[in-house]
């Protein structure tokens, strides 16, 4: 309750199947990170609902700005510092005394807003352990959007880990399926199937669209069956002797091989989806046991 005094809140006891912790209900936001991220509401209530940068935080950001290596900075930060930070159209308050510190602002963005991991942590268990916001005790680096290991996805939770793991596996499955269907693409685009599919757009060549037709008699066909679109109307006609004629696909070739490729692709994807489901279920259980979350604890006040 907001009416409670901070000195009367007691202890928070966290129980999990693996370990228990006792800590004051009121404590600093982070024992290792920035102590200067104070609440914008009453400081005595210690409600972590909004943050403002105080003097110590600003000093820490300036220190980060000085010691950050160019190789560990984002591309946008390096571009700004090297090319545009000196222009007033980008930084209008550049020459103002006691104005904002652009370098410290970029340091805050990279050390507090963006996720970072402890340097060397991946050498122990192949997981880039995520650091607290504003970590200043140990050396940290930014997660790479291209080279972050799949084993590190668990640092964002089981859902993120499962999503990106399944995304990568589905991409691999579809790539293999595409290679299997390369034979079908060549067959449908060949002279044997539809005379090279003339008149089609480039992205349609290689599909099963047939561009060869022949007129055949169809005594039971009526014009009402071919009036849905203009393309359908062109496939209906009447000969001089009142014989009803319709257009029929004249594409040929040996369709057994493309059909077998389609069956093989279907069963491959079916087996891969079953195996992927079993793998993700096992990975979820393993990740849940490795990563403690709020659902692993019971709260006793």
């Amino acid at each position: 309750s907001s009416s409670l005094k901070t000195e009367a809140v007691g202890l928070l006891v966290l129980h999990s199947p693996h370990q228990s912790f006792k800590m004051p209900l009121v404590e600093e936001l982070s024992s290792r990170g920035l102590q200067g991220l104070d609440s914008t509401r009453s400081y005595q209530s210690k409600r972590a609902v909004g943050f403002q940068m105080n003097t110590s935080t600003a000093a820490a950001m300036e220190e980060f700005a000085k010691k950050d290596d160019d190789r560990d900075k984002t591309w946008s930060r390096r571009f700004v510092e090297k090319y545009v930070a000196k222009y007033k159209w980008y930084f209008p308050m550049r020459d103002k005394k006691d104005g904002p510190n652009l370098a410290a602002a970029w340091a805050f963005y990279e050390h507090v807003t963006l996720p970072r991991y402890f340097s060397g942590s991946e050498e122990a268990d192949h997981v880039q352990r995520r650091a607290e916001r504003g970590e200043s005790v140990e050396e940290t680096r930014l997660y790479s959007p291209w080279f972050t290991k799949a084993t590190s996805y668990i640092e964002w939770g089981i859902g993120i880990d499962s999503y990106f793991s399944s995304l990568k596996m589905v991409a691999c499955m579809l790539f293999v399926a595409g290679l299997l269907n390369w034979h079908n693409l060549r067959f449908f685009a060949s002279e044997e199937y539809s005379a090279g599919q003339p008149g089609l757009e480039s992205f349609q060549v290689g599909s099963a669209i047939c561009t060869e037709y022949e007129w055949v008699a169809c005594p039971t066909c009526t014009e009402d069956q071919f009036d849905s679109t203009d393309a359908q109307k062109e496939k209906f006609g009447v000969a001089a002797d009142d014989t009803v004629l319709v257009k029929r696909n004249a594409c040929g070739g040996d369709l057994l091989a493309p059909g077998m490729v389609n069956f093989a692709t279907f069963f491959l994807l079916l087996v891969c989806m079953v195996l992927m489901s079993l793998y993700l279920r096992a990975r979820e259980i393993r990740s849940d046991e490795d990563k403690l979350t709020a659902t692993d604890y019971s709260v006793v006040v």
Side-chain angles (χ1 to χ4, degrees):
S1 173
S2 58
S3 62
L4 292 176
K5 298 295 183 180
T6 57
E7 56 269 18
V9 294
L11 293 176
L12 176 65
V13 183
L14 301 179
H15 297 282
S16 77
H18 308 287
Q19 51 191 330
S20 299
F21 302 96
K22 290 186 178 182
M23 63 183 71
L25 281 177
V26 176
E27 63 179 5
E28 295 296 337
L29 294 175
S30 173
S31 59
R32 296 176 59 86
L34 297 176
Q35 302 298 328
L37 297 178
D38 302 334
S39 171
T40 55
R41 294 188 180 183
S42 172
Y43 183 77
Q44 292 182 350
S45 66
K46 302 286 187 177
R47 297 175 184 172
V49 294
F51 305 108
Q52 61 184 4
M53 188 183 298
N54 63 13
T55 305
S56 61
T57 305
M61 292 301 105
E62 292 177 0
E63 183 65 24
F64 281 137
K66 293 178 181 178
K67 72 177 185 179
D68 282 347
D69 191 277
D70 286 344
R71 294 173 298 179
D72 296 332
K73 298 178 182 179
T74 58
W75 294 348
S76 54
R77 180 181 177 185
R78 279 182 282 176
F79 176 80
V80 167
E81 292 180 346
K82 187 173 182 180
Y83 297 107
V84 300
K86 57 185 177 181
Y87 297 109
K88 281 195 172 183
W89 57 264
Y90 177 81
F91 187 28
M93 304 181 68
R94 177 173 58 88
D95 299 328
K96 184 178 180 181
K97 186 179 180 180
D98 298 329
N101 189 326
L102 184 62
W106 273 105
F108 184 90
Y109 172 67
E110 292 190 357
H111 284 269
V112 177
T113 304
L114 297 182
R116 303 178 71 91
Y117 67 94
F118 292 106
S119 299
S121 62
E122 70 276 8
E123 298 177 359
D125 51 4
H126 305 289
V127 176
Q128 297 171 328
R129 295 297 178 183
R130 189 173 180 179
E132 293 287 341
R133 295 187 304 166
E135 169 65 40
S136 58
V137 178
E138 297 185 24
E139 184 180 356
T140 61
R141 300 187 64 180
L142 288 169
Y143 282 98
S144 170
W146 308 110
F147 303 108
T148 298
K149 299 179 180 179
T151 53
S152 301
Y153 296 160
I154 187 59
E155 293 297 294
W156 281 268
I158 297 176
I160 296 296
D161 177 71
S162 299
Y163 171 75
F164 282 102
S165 298
S166 60
L167 189 66
K168 184 166 60 175
M169 287 185 286
V170 169
C172 293
M173 286 190 300
L174 295 181
F175 177 76
V176 174
L179 294 180
L180 288 178
N181 282 267
W182 181 252
H183 171 271
N184 288 7
L185 294 177
R186 294 186 59 187
F187 171 76
F188 290 132
S190 66
E191 296 288 334
E192 180 183 1
Y193 175 70
S194 184
Q197 296 181 319
L200 295 183
E201 299 290 342
S202 58
F203 64 89
Q204 294 177 320
V205 175
S207 63
I209 298 177
C210 181
T211 58
E212 298 294 313
Y213 300 95
E214 61 180 357
W215 288 100
V216 295
C218 182
T220 60
C221 295
T222 62
E223 188 175 1
D224 295 340
Q225 297 174 314
F226 296 86
D227 62 355
S228 57
T229 62
D230 292 339
Q232 288 292 325
K233 292 179 180 179
E234 295 178 356
K235 296 181 180 181
F236 180 87
V238 179
D241 58 354
D242 294 332
T243 302
V244 177
L245 302 175
V246 294
K247 278 186 177 181
R248 183 179 66 178
N249 291 352
C251 296
D254 184 11
L255 297 178
L256 177 61
M260 297 305 295
V261 170
N262 290 339
F263 274 116
T265 303
F266 170 76
F267 285 111
L268 172 67
L269 293 178
L270 180 63
V271 172
C272 287
M273 291 297 293
V274 172
L275 294 178
M276 185 182 73
S277 177
L278 296 176
Y279 170 77
L280 290 177
R281 186 174 302 175
R283 185 183 180 93
E284 179 181 353
I285 295 174
R286 184 184 63 184
S287 300
D288 182 61
E289 294 176 351
D290 178 67
K291 195 73 173 178
L292 295 179
T293 61
T295 56
D296 296 319
Y297 294 90
S298 58
V299 180
V300 179
V301 179

